[in-house]
Amino acid sequence: VFTIKGTAGDNMQVTNVWYQLNGAGWNEAVTTNSWTNWWEDVSLLPGTNAVQAFAVDATGNKSTTNSATFVYVVTNQLRIAANGAGTLSPNYSNAWLEIGRRYTNTATAINGHKFVNWTIATNWLGGMTSTNAALPFLMQSNLTLTINFADTNKPTLTLTNPVANSRFAVPAKKVQGTAGDNVRVAGVFYQLNTNVWALAGTTNGFTNWASTIALPVGTNTVKAYAVDPTGNYSPTSSVSFYCSNAFVMSLSATQTVVSGGPGLTLMVSTGMTCRIDVSTNLLNWAVLTNFTSTNTTMKFRDPAATNNQQRFYRGVVP
């Protein structure tokens, strides 16, 4: 909607002002001060519009017909979406562009990506594709553009533990390492010998990852790889090491009994799943505690010991 405005005057009195838009017929304008100022709201057509107007006095004299032409520029907001990492030149995303006018937008991939194609559609539906990074297009209502960039970078992965060719006398070992990617690491998978691949644990998006595995006696091999959200895989890292069936396990108790019970000290290999059993007659045993050793020395107390004349303990590997 556009407001046509003007002024009119006469030696006696102006009685009417008439206007016409695009030859669609003459209409009387509006005034509040006897046509000294006059106006009218009109609906324009996209493109060139022509308006004409003249005034009439009380005796029927008409002014010269004035005319003006002008262009109604219709605009619409261009919406652009991107899959992957890249830049636009110029950046027309969410810009209001003139309908019917031609523009060019150029996409440039960054951060380990490559340009794949454009999708030109209406409200994201249907459309056609273009594999030219510089996209010429004719602006239309509800036009939507999608740029597709492909991630070409592989993630990286490092196995930091165990160390190659090391030897262990423990039944379990923590496998751990680091991983990285130009976008994001989606997962780290590890394999012990010929077992199935398993997802490693992490608390920081696989920048650091770890899992504890039970080790059979003999030479063991651990493999690991990282994967990103687009399915790029890192090279598979591998490390071999030896595990013996020897381990440390020695339980002792202090002779002093305090309110918290006697102190128990278990010398044990780290990473072992163990339990401490308790008995009053060496025949019937009950579990005092279950644990996985985190240190070579684990300390416990038995508060119930003060209720018995004698108390026996044993360390057990299930």
Side-chain angles (χ1 to χ4, degrees):
V1 177
F2 182 77
T3 302
I4 300 171
K5 298 179 180 179
T7 61
D10 188 64
N11 61 327
M12 295 294 293
Q13 178 187 2
V14 177
T15 57
N16 303 93
V17 169
W18 298 87
Y19 74 93
Q20 179 177 243
L21 178 66
N22 297 325
W26 293 97
N27 297 279
E28 188 175 18
V30 177
T31 186
T32 58
N33 57 5
S34 300
W35 313 101
T36 300
N37 302 95
W38 59 269
W39 69 90
E40 188 60 67
D41 292 334
V42 296
S43 296
L44 302 179
L45 297 176
T48 301
N49 289 259
V51 64
Q52 296 172 292
F54 66 90
V56 182
D57 67 13
T59 60
N61 295 316
K62 297 179 181 179
S63 71
T64 302
T65 300
N66 284 264
S67 63
T69 58
F70 53 97
V71 177
Y72 171 32
V73 178
V74 183
T75 62
N76 197 241
Q77 190 174 33
L78 176 64
R79 291 174 291 167
I80 301 178
N83 298 314
T87 61
L88 282 175
S89 179
N91 188 356
Y92 285 136
S93 181
N94 295 320
W96 290 88
L97 303 182
E98 181 180 344
I99 291 178
R101 182 176 172 182
R102 291 193 175 275
Y103 298 86
T104 298
N105 227 183
T106 302
T108 303
I110 60 173
N111 192 26
H113 289 71
K114 70 174 182 179
F115 170 79
V116 178
N117 57 33
W118 290 87
T119 300
I120 305 98
T122 301
N123 288 328
W124 314 112
L125 300 176
M128 60 182 183
T129 60
S130 172
T131 56
N132 293 323
L135 175 71
F137 62 93
L138 183 68
M139 184 59 191
Q140 302 172 21
S141 294
N142 303 314
L143 181 66
T144 53
L145 304 177
T146 302
I147 325 167
N148 296 303
F149 300 101
D151 182 5
T152 59
N153 271 28
K154 294 181 178 181
T156 59
L157 179 136
T158 302
L159 263 169
T160 58
N161 188 52
V163 178
N165 302 317
S166 55
R167 298 178 67 88
F168 302 104
V170 295
K173 186 67 177 175
K174 178 178 285 188
V175 179
Q176 60 192 79
T178 60
D181 187 61
N182 61 319
V183 178
R184 177 174 64 88
V185 177
V188 169
F189 294 86
Y190 68 92
Q191 180 190 49
L192 174 65
N193 300 324
T194 59
N195 295 348
V196 297
W197 289 90
L199 180 66
T202 185
T203 58
N204 58 5
F206 297 100
T207 299
N208 303 96
W209 57 271
S211 286
T212 300
I213 55 176
L215 300 176
V217 176
T219 299
N220 291 271
T221 299
V222 169
K223 299 177 181 179
Y225 68 87
V227 61
D228 70 13
T230 58
N232 294 316
Y233 292 82
S234 72
T236 299
S237 297
S238 177
V239 61
S240 295
F241 52 95
Y242 186 81
C243 178
S244 69
N245 60 359
F247 58 88
V248 175
M249 193 172 191
S250 175
L251 180 66
S252 61
T254 61
Q255 295 183 354
T256 303
V257 178
V258 296
S259 59
L264 304 174
T265 300
L266 182 67
M267 305 298 293
V268 63
S269 299
T270 57
M272 293 181 60
T273 299
C274 313
R275 75 173 190 268
I276 295 179
D277 290 347
V278 63
S279 174
T280 58
N281 55 15
L282 293 176
L283 297 176
N284 302 310
W285 293 89
V287 177
L288 175 64
T289 183
N290 291 284
F291 64 95
T292 298
S293 58
T294 57
N295 296 290
T296 56
T297 302
M298 305 292 291
K299 294 184 178 294
F300 309 89
R301 284 200 178 276
D302 179 15
T306 55
N307 300 325
N308 297 272
Q309 292 184 344
Q310 58 184 11
R311 196 80 156 161
F312 302 95
Y313 303 92
R314 67 181 182 189
V316 180
V317 177

